[in-house]
Amino acid sequence: MKKLSVLFAAVMMVVSVGMAKAQKIATLDVVGVLNAMPEKKKADTDLKAYLDVKQAEIKKKADAGQAKLKQYSEEAPKKSADENKAREGELAKLQEEIQQMNDKAQKDFVAKQDLAYEPIEKKLNEAVSKVAKANGYDYIMDANSAAFVFKGGPDATAAVKKELNIQ
């Protein structure tokens, strides 16, 4: 029985030593790397252009609605109650169309953004994995994360940028 206790204690020591091995952790400035990637810069430019076009379309429709509202407001005293009620319905319909355009533009923008950023994120993740394996990092954490308590350890940002061939 005593031999079994000694054997158990020895096994526990070996397991503890194995678990106590220090894990290599590095930090990475994810935002800095992403903003330095030419693909991300192009995607941002394309998305901004798309958004500007959609906003211009919505503004044009809204401006037309404002002009109609002004016209109808000025003419209201000269029109019958039925005509004014019909015009109110027309303005409400126009306002609903503008809201629908806005909602669709937002939904389309999010879909376009997801589609544009997916290959960029994949490329970044592949580079991070290569750097982690090459340098023996067990974890690479985002240096910009607010959840960080301690930001020590090596910084993998330069290695990931080198892997992506960016500066």
Side-chain angles (χ1 to χ4, degrees):
M1 185 72 174
K2 189 170 182 163
K3 287 182 179 179
L4 188 57
S5 296
V6 171
L7 179 62
F8 180 71
V11 168
M12 290 305 293
M13 285 179 59
V14 168
V15 169
S16 317
V17 169
M19 292 177 87
K21 174 191 151 222
Q23 295 180 340
K24 283 182 78 176
I25 299 174
T27 59
L28 172 65
D29 180 8
V30 175
V31 173
V33 171
L34 282 171
N35 288 335
M37 292 177 71
E39 301 94 328
K40 169 84 168 44
K41 290 176 184 176
K42 182 180 180 337
D44 287 344
T45 302
D46 293 348
L47 288 168
K48 181 167 178 5
Y50 175 80
L51 189 59
D52 289 346
V53 167
K54 291 297 178 185
Q55 286 176 337
E57 290 173 6
I58 293 168
K59 185 179 181 336
K60 182 179 176 183
K61 186 125 182 157
D63 289 346
Q66 285 293 335
K68 212 173 243 193
L69 174 64
K70 183 180 177 190
Q71 176 191 353
Y72 288 176
S73 296
E74 290 171 357
E75 295 174 354
K78 301 173 191 167
K79 299 292 180 178
S80 70
D82 288 341
E83 283 179 300
N84 285 334
K85 189 168 184 148
R87 288 178 166 196
E88 285 177 23
E90 185 182 336
L91 289 172
K93 184 179 177 191
L94 185 60
Q95 184 176 2
E96 187 178 320
E97 288 174 10
I98 293 169
Q99 185 60 46
Q100 288 174 350
M101 280 178 69
N102 196 25
D103 292 346
K104 184 177 178 345
Q106 286 178 348
K107 190 183 285 187
D108 290 349
F109 177 77
V110 168
K112 196 170 185 71
Q113 186 178 38
D114 289 345
L115 188 64
Y117 288 162
E118 185 180 339
I120 297 167
E121 290 173 9
K122 183 179 178 193
K123 184 175 180 180
L124 175 64
N125 288 335
E126 287 172 357
V128 169
S129 293
K130 283 182 183 178
V131 167
K133 288 175 185 170
N135 293 295
Y137 299 136
D138 294 316
Y139 300 98
I140 296 182
M141 305 179 108
D142 186 357
N144 301 312
S145 174
F148 249 81
V149 176
F150 178 72
K151 291 187 182 181
D155 185 359
T157 304
V160 171
K161 282 184 172 183
K162 182 178 177 187
E163 181 65 35
L164 291 168
N165 295 319
I166 57 176
Q167 293 186 18

